[in-house]
Amino acid sequence: MKQLMPAVNSSDHIYGNKRALIELVEYGDYQCLYCGRAYPLIKNMQKELGPHLKVVYRNFPLSKSHPYAFAAAIAAEAAALQDKFWEMHDTVFENQEILNIDSLIDFAEMIGLNLEKFKQDIQKKVLADKVERDFESGLRSGVNKIPSFYINGNKYEGNWEEGGLFNYLKSKMAEIAIF
Amino acid sequence: MLAIGTRAPEFALYASPYQKMRLSELRGSKVILSFYPADWSPVCGDQMNLYNEMEKYFIRHHAQMIGISVDSRWCHAAFTEHNGFHFPLLADFEPKGAVARQYKVYDNEAGQCQRALYVLDEQAIIRWNYLSPVGINPGADGILNALEQLDN
């Protein structure tokens, strides 16, 4: 079974209870339609599983097929510098059909970022390095399509749509709670 | 599959509508041979698109990625143009699957290549191999590990 490499650490964006039983890591691309489809499903899982689930998002932009994916990843990392990573992440997925370079600036404004700082930050090499490090960690973890999911460090190979991932998380939770 | 330590058999296959590529032209570089079932199929598309994003990793390891299937050179040309691939796809088209057979990765029943990877060193010696279930994209972790081991 393929394992998450490296494990979740302080450079990751984590949503939810840090001590949750279930850790769900997504490798995603902001311009990928499947990732857009996964977004509301994960939101729903967060609502249903509450404190038992933490969610981590790592960047895996397929830049050659999706021309705005890398820029969107940078925008979310820049938002993180103003403690608004998840606000940008959510806004991009909720407005995926209008995603382009200009709309990223609009999104930054919508979520209330300091625009001057945002525009400076998106030029910073450290952010591009972070996105590339995420991508490389995905390669090493065996990402073979997007989105790819890792549950408590192990790659999830099943179907994530039609309740597949949600049911798996629930069964995993029951399993852990028993032991 | 051919065993690790074996010299990779020489071949000459069309890499574009008018030009053939020989394995021996790549002597001095590491080579990744990625045999795959079919252009345009969903899993193969994911797999080749993933490799297409990895250009800089292959350059870092002085490695050349090569895709091989039984599709024709014109089919490869259209698939390449559609996806913007930066590495060659070779047509193992006539006699059909002859190179895949030499490399012991031909699926006789389906009439196509298996989903299989070989990593060759600079002298075309097979240093790593992997046969994936046909419906599963093997990803890139195995290739990267193999290239790193060769560099160390």
Side-chain angles (χ1 to χ4, degrees), chain A:
Chain A
M1 192 183 285
K2 301 208 173 178
Q3 309 264 322
L4 185 68
M5 297 213 298
V8 171
N9 58 67
S10 60
S11 70
D12 281 311
H13 304 294
I14 304 174
Y15 192 98
N17 175 9
K18 292 201 164 51
R19 297 176 176 201
L21 286 177
I22 304 287
E23 173 194 277
L24 177 69
V25 177
E26 176 186 3
Y27 280 94
D29 165 320
Y30 288 107
Q31 208 185 337
C32 154
L33 296 179
Y34 296 98
C35 300
R37 228 185 272 169
Y39 165 75
L41 303 182
I42 294 167
K43 278 274 170 213
N44 184 51
M45 291 175 215
Q46 288 174 311
K47 206 169 87 192
E48 297 287 330
L49 301 178
H52 304 302
L53 177 68
K54 73 172 158 188
V55 173
V56 175
Y57 184 87
R58 287 184 179 172
N59 299 294
F60 201 80
L62 297 184
S63 311
K64 301 228 160 95
S65 348
H66 301 147
Y68 306 123
F70 196 85
I74 294 283
E77 294 298 330
L81 297 179
Q82 298 186 43
D83 290 327
K84 291 201 167 173
F85 173 81
W86 292 101
E87 287 84 344
M88 183 60 95
H89 165 277
D90 292 5
T91 304
V92 174
F93 279 128
E94 284 164 20
N95 297 279
Q96 204 182 31
E97 70 283 2
I98 57 161
L99 172 62
N100 61 34
I101 300 296
D102 292 337
S103 66
L104 287 169
I105 306 282
D106 297 339
F107 299 160
E109 200 167 2
M110 269 163 65
I111 63 172
L113 293 183
N114 173 336
L115 276 187
E116 282 314 303
K117 176 168 166 51
F118 176 76
K119 286 179 187 170
Q120 284 170 12
D121 288 343
I122 54 177
Q123 312 289 339
K124 287 184 179 160
K125 187 170 175 298
V126 283
L127 297 192
D129 290 347
K130 162 77 166 75
V131 174
E132 282 176 11
R133 264 202 317 279
D134 276 2
F135 185 85
E136 184 164 350
S137 81
L139 293 176
R140 289 182 191 285
S141 305
V143 168
N144 57 355
K145 58 180 174 252
I146 41 171
S148 276
F149 295 102
Y150 294 77
I151 297 158
N152 293 355
N154 295 318
K155 190 164 192 295
Y156 175 73
E157 302 282 7
N159 174 19
W160 53 267
E161 290 190 277
E162 294 148 20
L165 179 58
F166 189 28
N167 289 333
Y168 182 81
L169 291 186
K170 282 192 286 192
S171 69
K172 196 84 198 158
M173 229 172 78
E175 200 179 289
I176 296 170
I178 289 166
F179 288 106

